[in-house]
Amino acid sequence: MKKTILVVDDFTSIRHFVCEMLERKGYRTLGAANGDEAYNVLIANADTVNLVLTDYNMPDCTGYDLLKKIKSNVSVAQVPVIFLTAELSVEKMKAARESGLTAWIKKPYRAETFFSEIENALSLKTIKP
Amino acid sequence: MDFQQEYIEEAKQVLKSLEHSLLELEKSPDPDQVNNVYRYLHTIKGSAGMFGYDHVERLSHELEDLFSDVRDGIRQQDDFMLDLTLHAVDILRDLLDGKDVVRESEKIIESIATIKGTAASGKGGRGAEVVNGYVVILRPDENIYKRGINFQGVLDDIQELGVCEFMIHNETVPFERQLSEKRITSWFEIILASTKSLDEVKEVFLFMKEAEYVVLAITSIDLFSSAEYKAFIALSPEMIDARERMARQLIPTLSALAEPSVVRDDAKTDDAVSVDDADEEEQQTTTIKKSKRGGHVSVSTQKLDQLINIVSELVIFRSEIQHLMGNNQRPEIAEAIEKLESLTLKLRDSAFNIRLVPLNILNVKLQRLIRSVSKDLGKEIEFITEGLDTELDRSMINALEAPLMHIIRNAIDHGIEKPEERERRNKPRKGLLKFYSYNSGDHVFIQLQDDGNGIDFDKIKAKGIEKGLLNKGQQYSEKELLNVMMSPGFSTADKVTTVSGRGVGMDVVKKEIAAIRGDIEVSTEKGLGSIFTLRLPLTLTVLDTLVVNVNESKYLIPISEVEFCYQETYTKLFAKKSRQVNYEGQLLPFVSLREYFGDDSYPAEGTVIIINKNDTRMAVVVDNIVGKLQTVYKPLNNILQDVNCFSGASILGDGSMALILNALKLNQ
């Protein structure tokens, strides 16, 4: 079955671009424009979403807020979260890692790294029962 | 690309908000607005990189940095800073529109640097780029992948930091396999030269456990012989030497540092114990990479040509073996030859691939040309490209440059109308010029499409008559008129402009394209525009040919030109005076090669080969077909340049030479 990735970015063009790229690689994608919307989409599709790929800096609910929300809800806490971001602050990333962030891809990214990070995060979830 | 357009729109929205916040800040300083400015700049920066707007990324990064200082209270905002940022917003907008304002952008970045230099007293020593040396020792947990860490990504990130030398220890399983099986059993020693600080280097390992990595700054070349280092790796004196050499090479400042001085004695005595162990390990230690970002190597064309030459000879040699083994039915040998064949072909393909470069390298030149030509002529052009990643032989791209530029010049000069005229015709003010490129089979197609006025056939006809190329009373098809347009000495420009009136016409374009074995085709619709399609072979050196026999001599005909073959008796062929055959209801002229070469004896039966080149057909009569052969094309030398019925020569499998027929010239 196709793996589903939830792509969160307030920039529609980037969201669409990332979604299309992932779909070309054979993934199914869902999109959300901010953290709150993403959380709702995730809850509604809890049994199909395999990975959340989110921007960090978004208005209202940031990627970090989203991460914390996901990790504190048992029904979706096991879904790996990857930040796709231009944020470089190590403190922020350390905090995110402690909150359960799986990986951090810096924008702009290199395609190989990008897909291998995603594949890796997806394989994580399948290992766990 | 759609996303790009979408992105530009969105980014401009953000720039608008940014402008607004800046104007608010000008009225009164407000931490919320500063935060907004910072966030907008950050968004622009992050997204620009995704779509390849490097200058936008760079400029917004510098501005973001500036405002992060304001936000953190390190710096006070002032009018100059706001003015500069507002100006930068305009430049960012221009950059997004693809305008050439890179220099302005660089100027702003310089100004930002001076602001930072004067006010950022707290953050000294940022400007100068000092290369620091580090040693990274990575001992990843075997299950690192299961913890969600992409080890390959970590290695890539290390390479991004600067120049480095990787050493793999304990490579009992090939490293590539460890990566593909996601089970890392090796450990790594990396010497790194980077402008980054120790903390920045450590960031790369953020997701790894503390016990899995050590980053040491190389403050002295003695590091490798120090007790501290020995705690991680036991090294023999030779191995220490090797590392010191590598480090000196990577980090120039190290050579300037004091030569090794003291405290080495105790280390030395202890070394003796561990040498055996270490030696064994050294044998398993391989240096895999030494790279500067991305992993590209530049190779001189000379070396490449040499490689291609050897590969070409190998291709011939492979044919020769096949030829020699022609009647040998032993299956093992046949199998081995088959393997050899598939390997040589693979080798050949990769060798040729090395020479291929994307058409993208022409992009800047074309854009600049379009900008300057459209400015000169007072026309507005929107240039759209697609498929610039299509790859072609470097020499082909070089050869293509002039004809492509000429076609574009023509399209802007003769095709696309002036803005006012376009508006009268209900067309958008901006003329559209599209550049498409794609691969199809063994060929690369390049299309240049404009939405201008199309080719004016009446004008061509009038001009043709004036030049004495056409007859006044005669009707001509569009194809014939297009052919006239591409014939020597034809130029329809009303007056000689600096743009398209350089004494070169479409005939030169056609010749230049033909010289690289390409075709050019034009389709046009009056009032709607024209499309120029170039069809080019992927490479110039390998050619699929049909080997034919004429009185014990072999000749080659490019397979791409062969349309059909059949046998016919000479009596039937020569029955009529006119040398013509009936093919699909059409009378085609034919040339008997025996007759052409002055041989007057004929076998009973010959083979007729219907040649179709650029939609011009003719027939060639040979004795018989020997087979198909992939040959390596070699041009004829200067003495034979005038013999135009042969386009080149090649060596056959048995080592003999054969000429490549340029059939259409036989008939002239």
Side-chain angles (χ1 to χ4, degrees), chain B residues 322-337:
Chain B
Q322 204 165 29
H323 176 84
L324 290 174
M325 291 294 168
N327 297 319
N328 192 315
Q329 295 299 321
R330 278 181 62 188
E332 306 94 293
I333 294 181
E335 201 179 309
I337 289 179

Side-chain angles (χ1 to χ4, degrees), chain A residues 12-13 57 90 97 116 124, chain B residues 10 42 146 150 156 203 206:
Chain A
T12 324
S13 52
N57 285 282
V90 185
R97 190 190 66 169
S116 66
L124 253 192
Chain B
E10 269 184 306
H42 181 84
K146 290 197 181 136
N150 176 19
D156 288 349
E203 267 175 42
L206 192 65

Side-chain angles (χ1 to χ4, degrees), chain B residues 329-376:
Chain B
Q329 295 299 321
R330 278 181 62 188
E332 306 94 293
I333 294 181
E335 201 179 309
I337 289 179
E338 230 166 71
K339 263 186 207 155
L340 178 66
E341 168 162 10
S342 97
L343 281 177
T344 2
L345 290 184
K346 265 188 207 155
L347 177 64
R348 189 202 68 191
D349 288 348
S350 349
F352 283 120
N353 254 327
I354 300 175
R355 283 187 68 99
L356 299 185
V357 284
L359 273 169
N360 210 355
I361 58 166
L362 280 178
N363 193 13
V364 177
K365 271 189 185 153
L366 297 183
Q367 296 219 6
R368 296 193 90 130
L369 173 83
I370 290 164
R371 192 172 302 118
S372 72
V373 172
S374 54
K375 226 179 203 172
D376 286 351

Side-chain angles (χ1 to χ4, degrees), chain B residues 106 236 259 516 555 599 601 631:
Chain B
E106 295 294 326
S236 65
E259 283 291 303
I516 46 176
Y555 298 93
D599 187 340
S601 62
T631 52

Side-chain angles (χ1 to χ4, degrees), chain A residues 11-14 16-17 20 57 86-87 90 93-94 97 101-102 107-110 113 116-117 120 124, chain B residues 3 6-7 10 14 42-43 46-47 49-51 57 145-146 148-150 156 160 182 203 206-207:
Chain A
F11 251 55
T12 324
S13 52
I14 293 190
H16 286 176
F17 175 68
E20 165 142 341
N57 285 282
E87 181 59 59
V90 185
M93 287 309 132
K94 270 190 183 147
R97 190 190 66 169
L101 182 70
T102 299
K107 267 189 214 172
Y109 53 85
R110 291 183 307 274
T113 321
S116 66
E117 290 282 6
N120 196 48
L124 253 192
Chain B
F3 294 118
E6 202 180 341
Y7 163 71
E10 269 184 306
V14 176
H42 181 84
T43 308
S47 52
M50 298 276 288
F51 291 95
E57 188 185 359
Y145 274 95
K146 290 197 181 136
I149 294 167
N150 176 19
D156 288 349
E160 287 274 293
K182 299 191 170 180
E203 267 175 42
L206 192 65
F207 283 78

